[in-house]
Amino acid sequence: MHDPGPTFRMLHRPGNPFVLANCWDVGSARLLAALGAEALATSSAAHAFALGKPDGAVTRDQALAHAQDIVAATPLPVSGDFEDGFGADPDTVAETVRLAAEAGLAGISIEDNPAPPGKAYDLKLATERIRAGAAAARALKRDFVLVARADGIMNGHYGIEEAITRLKAFDDAGADCLYAPIPPTFDDLARICAMTDTPVNALAAGPYASYSVDDFARIGVARISLGSALARAAQRRVMDVFSEIMEDGSFAMLKKTVSGDEVDDLLRRYL
């Protein structure tokens, strides 16, 4: 049986981070792989955008089917952005882990709140959810990397002290990687890295896009994910180009594109 887990786990080296490339369809997965990505990830927001839906509107079945497509697209390990596990109950999180493994994923991330504007789960339930997910992951017949996310800090439900308390609890509950998206300051991210030997994921988005891989390495980050940022960068370009066409009647920005032949050559590597 193909087991992407060990390869994926070995990439998580504190102080020597890899970039986890979040894609949104088979084409973007193959393009990122051809450009040198070491591992891929789905993005709940980017996937939703591709379906013409807002973030949080994708079902578990849709996320699993999408994940299978991305897994099949390249030989790289793939991590699934599986929101809150698609249910509050710890047993639902455990089932999501098992289904994700069946889909061929090397791991998934689980958030501590449902899609906004849902409030963060209380600490006890949030921890039990990760404990159930970790137990399900360890019961699998292959390796699987479970990431525990303290998303309440990004969604405004709590501050850095509560985020650290939660990450410590998730660490003790068996999480393989810890993740608090967009802490208030870079020093706060450094505090998170310093509190544990467990790999820490950082999100290179918003103010954190101003830092380099070397900056993240210096404070002990093990993995840098892009979330929906690449997809939103592509959308920004489409919006800018088409707005100029509609508002000014100018097609000049279409001259600043990549050639079809170059894209074809990159994609042929994975046919």
Side-chain angles (χ1 to χ4, degrees):
M1 178 173 53
H2 174 61
D3 182 0
T7 298
F8 189 51
R9 187 179 295 278
M10 288 177 62
L11 292 173
H12 294 73
R13 301 179 298 268
N16 185 17
F18 73 102
V19 175
L20 183 62
N22 296 81
C23 55
W24 54 94
D25 58 16
V26 170
S28 60
R30 289 178 173 168
L31 186 65
L32 292 169
L35 291 171
E38 295 180 276
L40 301 172
T42 65
S43 161
S44 62
H47 179 211
F49 298 158
L51 294 176
K53 298 181 177 183
D55 188 15
V58 173
T59 68
R60 183 169 68 180
D61 285 346
Q62 288 175 313
L64 288 166
H66 173 63
Q68 286 182 310
D69 289 342
I70 302 303
V71 167
T74 82
L76 297 181
V78 181
S79 182
D81 178 1
F82 273 30
E83 304 188 43
D84 71 335
F86 300 99
D89 188 76
D91 288 341
T92 301
V93 174
E95 182 182 32
T96 296
V97 166
R98 291 189 289 270
L99 292 171
E102 290 176 8
L105 290 168
I108 60 172
S109 59
I110 297 293
E111 302 168 11
D112 67 345
N113 59 245
K119 293 184 178 180
Y121 299 117
D122 67 59
L123 177 59
K124 181 179 179 181
L125 176 57
T127 303
E128 287 306 310
R129 286 161 36 81
I130 295 303
R131 194 181 311 279
R138 300 295 84 81
L140 297 171
K141 294 182 179 180
R142 64 174 182 83
D143 199 5
F144 193 86
V145 177
L146 180 69
V147 182
R149 295 178 51 152
D151 270 49
I153 193 169
M154 180 173 66
N155 296 327
H157 300 312
Y158 50 72
I160 183 61
E161 298 304 329
E162 175 67 13
I164 288 176
T165 296
R166 287 175 176 246
L167 291 176
K168 287 180 178 178
F170 300 161
D171 199 357
D172 291 340
D176 299 302
C177 181
L178 304 175
Y179 181 12
I182 316 294
T185 71
F186 198 70
D187 286 342
D188 290 326
L189 179 59
R191 285 181 62 195
I192 291 170
C193 294
M195 76 176 196
T196 181
D197 293 327
T198 299
V200 171
N201 182 97
L203 176 62
Y208 282 82
S210 299
Y211 296 95
S212 68
V213 171
D214 287 343
D215 291 328
F216 288 111
R218 174 173 49 80
I219 64 170
V221 168
R223 150 177 143 180
I224 305 166
S225 59
L226 307 178
S228 63
L230 278 180
R232 289 185 286 106
Q235 289 172 323
R236 176 78 268 172
R237 184 65 176 171
V238 170
M239 292 167 66
D240 289 345
V241 172
F242 196 67
S243 292
E244 184 172 84
I245 292 172
M246 297 303 293
E247 294 170 10
D248 302 332
S250 171
F251 301 96
M253 292 180 73
L254 291 177
K255 294 187 291 185
K256 300 178 181 179
T257 65
V258 63
S259 74
D261 288 342
E262 186 175 350
V263 175
D264 287 345
D265 287 342
L266 290 169
L267 296 181
R268 283 193 186 99
R269 302 182 189 184
Y270 295 100
L271 291 179

